[in-house]
Amino acid sequence: MPEPTNVTMSATLAADEAIARRRLAGQSVLSMASGEIGLPVHPGLKARLTEAAGLGSYGPVAGSTALRSAAAGYWRRRGLPTTPEQVVCGPGSKPLLFGLLLAVGGDVVIPMPSWVSYAAQADLIGARHFSVPTLPGQGGVPDPDLLRETVTAARAAGHDPRSVVVTLPDNPTGTIAAPDTVRRLGEAARELGLVIISDEIYCDLVYDPAATPAVSPAVYAPERTVVTTGLTKNLAIGGWRTGVARLPDGDAGQALRDRLVGIASQIWSSPAAPVQAAAAWAFDEPAEVVEHVAASRRLHETVARAMAERLTAAGALVPPVVATCYLYPDFEPLREHLAQAHGVHTGAELARLLVERHGVGVLPASAFGEPEESLRLRVATSRLYGDGDEQRTAALNAEDPLALDWIRFSLDRIEEVLADLTGKPAAPRPALAGR
């Protein structure tokens, strides 16, 4: 009999649980390890879910006609011609990504660094994963030249890479691969016969698309690119578990779609019908949804950039903040001080020091496939918007979120922690009224 697959809990979810235990124990914690978006559910989504509560049947495996049509329209508005027949829906983009790896088969190429589940999902299906570094400041897409070298060498060694997974914009770095890099990725994938699986769940969280566009590989290699997205990030409904995949047009895309639907029929049967109804309304993008997403994007940008300023002032190297709620600071310039003052030599040791000494939860770069000695951290600002819907709604609607007491408190706390970490005093800042 085959041995059980040895896959550990997702690093982000494990960090969430560890922080929750600290809170229950009465400890003060600042959670910046998870990608959970701390914003209230839009009232229109709540209303549609309530109206659809009576939908108790399974429904089509690929998803309802309404949701597939709405998702097709969502992609058409973003320059990707799509028919409802190309769309497959699932209970979150994560299961869809897993199903796609099964449907494509073979081994998998992933970026380094990359989201924690890509390598783990490859392990779950019994495939090898090959990590290819990204270009500086262009996370989420493997360097196309190194991709060619890696795949060629892997095949020469008897392995079978058939797909490459990319993220636009990127988790963990919050950066975006340049359009020319994505174009060269498409060329390399075509030459190598690879299917591109493009995880685009953060595409609605690009701060300035005119300045830093997130161009899908489906623009350059439409015949071999699968695009996935969902409502987890732009509308902060991770708990609703809904995602959609856009399969390529043509015979190869249809064959891949058929395999994915067959896998879905054996694993999740069909997405939850009430959630599909609400999601269809959201993917149609009425004005109130567009405004809500725009407000959340402004909030992410304001808070993430304020955090970047503090990390940079402390001496960390921080890539330009252009999308999402993620930062990927590198504490390499402080390596000697961290070793002498704190006995820290790795990212994991740095993350452990921050949570045990200061109650600040972050993730080390090693959780995303980087070497243990790397002193990069993934910092998420998405849980700093408040402790309940009242505070989070105020943050979403605030003209200046940084003036809100609870957000300012978190940023001030980070300054204090960084001052202790680096031995540099925090810069004085004016106190807020009433504090």
Side-chain angles (χ1 to χ4, degrees):
M1 292 182 65
E3 292 298 314
T5 304
N6 183 25
V7 175
T8 58
M9 179 180 281
S10 161
T12 53
L13 299 180
D16 268 356
E17 292 193 4
I19 288 168
R21 286 193 296 270
R22 287 177 174 272
R23 278 207 179 97
L24 287 173
Q27 299 177 31
S28 174
V29 294
L30 193 59
S31 176
M32 296 195 297
S34 168
E36 176 85 51
I37 306 295
L39 290 173
V41 177
H42 188 280
L45 278 169
K46 292 181 184 179
R48 270 68 186 182
L49 186 66
T50 300
E51 292 168 4
L55 299 177
S57 300
Y58 282 117
V61 174
S64 70
T65 300
L67 179 52
R68 289 186 291 110
S69 297
Y74 171 92
W75 275 306
R76 285 196 299 269
R77 288 188 293 276
R78 285 154 179 79
L80 296 179
T82 309
T83 66
E85 291 70 32
Q86 289 175 257
V87 179
V88 176
C89 311
S93 61
K94 186 186 284 190
L96 283 169
L97 289 164
F98 181 66
L100 284 163
L101 293 182
L102 285 168
V104 174
D107 299 322
V108 186
V109 180
I110 62 175
M112 185 178 72
S114 64
W115 179 49
V116 298
S117 289
Y118 296 151
Q121 288 192 350
D123 291 343
L124 281 169
I125 68 170
R128 288 178 179 268
H129 66 271
F130 298 90
S131 295
V132 176
T134 60
L135 291 166
Q138 299 189 56
V141 173
D143 179 330
D145 293 334
L146 294 180
L147 173 66
R148 285 186 177 89
E149 293 178 14
T150 299
V151 172
T152 301
R155 288 174 175 167
H159 304 303
D160 186 22
R162 299 185 198 173
S163 62
V164 53
V165 180
V166 303
T167 316
L168 288 152
D170 182 40
N171 173 12
T173 68
T175 60
I176 302 173
D180 187 63
T181 300
V182 179
R183 178 188 61 78
R184 293 195 299 117
L185 167 78
E187 292 174 352
R190 187 175 289 117
E191 293 169 16
L192 297 164
L194 296 174
V195 173
I196 302 171
I197 301 173
S198 186
D199 180 354
E200 300 181 12
I201 200 164
Y202 294 98
C203 266
D204 290 339
L205 300 182
V206 178
Y207 304 153
D208 185 355
T212 53
V215 180
S216 175
V219 171
Y220 300 110
E223 81 286 358
R224 63 186 57 256
T225 300
V226 183
V227 180
T228 65
T229 192
L231 303 176
T232 299
K233 305 303 178 181
N234 62 352
L235 285 170
I237 53 170
W240 288 28
R241 309 311 304 138
T242 182
V244 290
R246 176 192 183 274
L247 280 296
D249 197 10
D251 292 343
Q254 182 63 49
L256 181 58
R257 180 191 182 278
D258 290 345
R259 290 195 296 276
L260 177 60
V261 170
I263 289 164
S265 74
Q266 301 293 355
I267 297 178
W268 61 77
S269 299
S270 63
V275 174
Q276 288 190 73
W281 175 78
F283 275 116
D284 275 334
E285 297 185 292
E288 59 194 287
V289 165
V290 173
E291 292 166 5
H292 185 86
V293 173
S296 69
R297 187 166 52 241
R298 288 191 297 270
L299 176 61
H300 295 323
E301 179 181 10
T302 300
V303 178
R305 286 187 165 163
M307 184 67 71
E309 289 175 3
R310 286 151 177 81
L311 290 163
T312 301
L317 302 175
V318 184
V321 181
V322 296
T324 78
C325 50
Y326 300 133
L327 300 104
Y328 205 58
D330 189 352
F331 286 82
E332 183 63 33
L334 299 166
R335 179 176 291 278
E336 184 176 349
H337 171 78
L338 292 172
Q340 293 178 354
H342 304 291
V344 164
H345 302 88
T346 68
E349 291 173 347
L350 179 55
R352 190 178 307 118
L353 173 70
L354 288 170
V355 73
E356 292 180 355
R357 181 164 172 167
H358 300 288
V360 173
V362 295
L363 289 177
S366 56
F368 303 94
E370 294 222 51
E372 291 289 336
E373 62 269 18
S374 170
L375 288 177
R376 283 184 280 270
L377 301 174
R378 207 285 299 273
V379 176
T381 59
S382 51
R383 299 287 283 272
L384 305 184
Y385 306 146
D387 289 332
D389 278 358
E390 183 177 353
Q391 287 188 347
R392 292 167 181 168
T393 300
L396 193 65
N397 296 329
E399 184 175 340
D400 180 12
L402 304 183
L404 296 174
D405 227 21
W406 54 94
I407 293 179
R408 180 63 177 271
F409 174 82
S410 296
L411 293 171
D412 287 351
R413 176 67 182 138
I414 289 299
E415 282 196 74
E416 294 170 1
V417 170
L418 291 171
D420 179 78
L421 190 69
T422 64
K424 301 177 182 178
R429 292 181 181 271
L432 289 177
R435 286 278 303 275

